[in-house]
Amino acid sequence: MARYLDVHPVNPQPRLLEQIAEALREDQLIAYPTDSGYALGCRLGNRDGRDRILRIRGLDEKHHFTLMCKDFAQLGQFVKLDNSAFRAIKAATPGPYTFILPATQEVPRRLMHPKKRTVGVRIPDHVFDQALLDTLGEPMLTSTLILPGETEPRSLGWEIKEELDHQVDVVVEAGETLAEPTTVVDWSEGYPEVVRVGAGDAGRFEA
């Protein structure tokens, strides 16, 4: 059974943050709120966590995984940015955007797209996410919690606890969250291409 932790949405309790960070360090899989619905998250090096995310979401090996980063400096360690991407992405973050970019050597190969050698990155505009990433001290591997046959991410922690009780290890509740996924912008070819319109304003990346 998954642990259910109710975290304060404005002032996350350090004790609970440390419990969640420790669960991630122990290679557990969490369901947690973001600025664009709930997501599944685990440590970058957690091979089993990656596979569990694919199973829960009904996805194949070509799925574009995302690294949830605390800030732009951390993001820059994991993807290659040219000047135009640097300026545009820095201006749009933190926020409900996922950017697909060429991965650096810091990214484990199993997390890259098998052919393109790309990975998704995002910086959330969410109090709990920022506090957790700060406590953890490293990015998380993450994927929006959209279940097979559905088009929107889950937004209620208690509902996730009921449905995925035996498939995740921790469910975090931290106030209300939108049931709308991130806007995804593919910048891997040197220019922005909006591949999914979601919570973030897609117009700033469209010609």
Side-chain angles (χ1 to χ4, degrees):
M1 286 177 58
R3 278 190 294 161
Y4 187 78
L5 299 176
D6 197 348
V7 178
H8 195 282
V10 179
N11 297 299
Q13 303 92 320
R15 174 180 56 85
L16 294 181
L17 290 168
E18 188 52 51
Q19 283 183 31
I20 299 162
E22 192 55 37
L24 289 164
R25 294 183 194 115
E26 292 173 356
D27 285 346
Q28 295 184 26
L29 180 64
I30 70 169
Y32 68 103
T34 76
D35 51 355
S36 57
Y38 265 78
L40 298 167
C42 66
R43 201 171 58 84
L44 294 195
N46 184 351
R47 291 171 180 266
D48 181 56
R50 170 196 174 278
D51 295 344
R52 289 168 71 187
I53 290 171
L54 291 177
R55 282 199 301 273
I56 289 169
R57 291 206 50 203
L59 300 168
D60 62 23
E61 294 287 332
K62 293 177 184 171
H63 173 63
H64 246 123
F65 277 103
T66 297
L67 310 184
M68 181 78 89
C69 300
K70 183 183 186 309
D71 52 31
F72 201 78
Q74 195 176 71
L75 179 149
Q77 298 173 35
F78 294 91
V79 289
K80 300 169 187 172
L81 295 155
D82 63 21
N83 287 337
S84 63
F86 179 96
R87 287 193 300 270
I89 293 171
K90 197 168 192 335
T93 55
Y97 296 95
T98 299
F99 299 98
I100 297 170
L101 288 153
T104 67
Q105 293 181 335
E106 297 292 317
V107 180
R109 287 186 66 162
R110 67 184 177 281
L111 305 185
M112 299 180 195
H113 188 279
K115 289 184 178 175
K116 297 179 180 178
R117 295 284 183 264
T118 49
V119 71
V121 283
R122 66 170 302 218
I123 302 170
D125 186 13
H126 193 280
V127 172
F128 167 75
D129 297 352
Q130 285 289 336
L132 177 60
L133 289 164
D134 190 46
T135 304
L136 185 62
E138 61 181 272
M140 272 194 301
L141 177 65
T142 191
S143 183
T144 307
L145 182 41
I146 301 174
L147 294 176
E150 298 182 0
T151 57
E152 293 182 345
R154 290 305 176 95
S155 61
L156 299 170
W158 62 266
E159 196 178 71
I160 295 163
K161 166 81 166 114
E162 279 188 1
E163 194 158 349
L164 300 180
D165 203 20
H166 298 286
Q167 297 181 68
V168 300
D169 302 300
V170 178
V171 177
V172 178
E173 182 74 65
E176 292 185 18
T177 182
L178 288 173
E180 190 172 9
T182 55
T183 291
V184 180
V185 182
D186 187 337
W187 215 302
S188 59
E189 299 296 329
Y191 57 88
E193 180 187 356
V194 176
V195 293
R196 181 176 74 193
V197 176
D201 175 19
R204 64 193 303 162
F205 296 105
E206 292 171 333

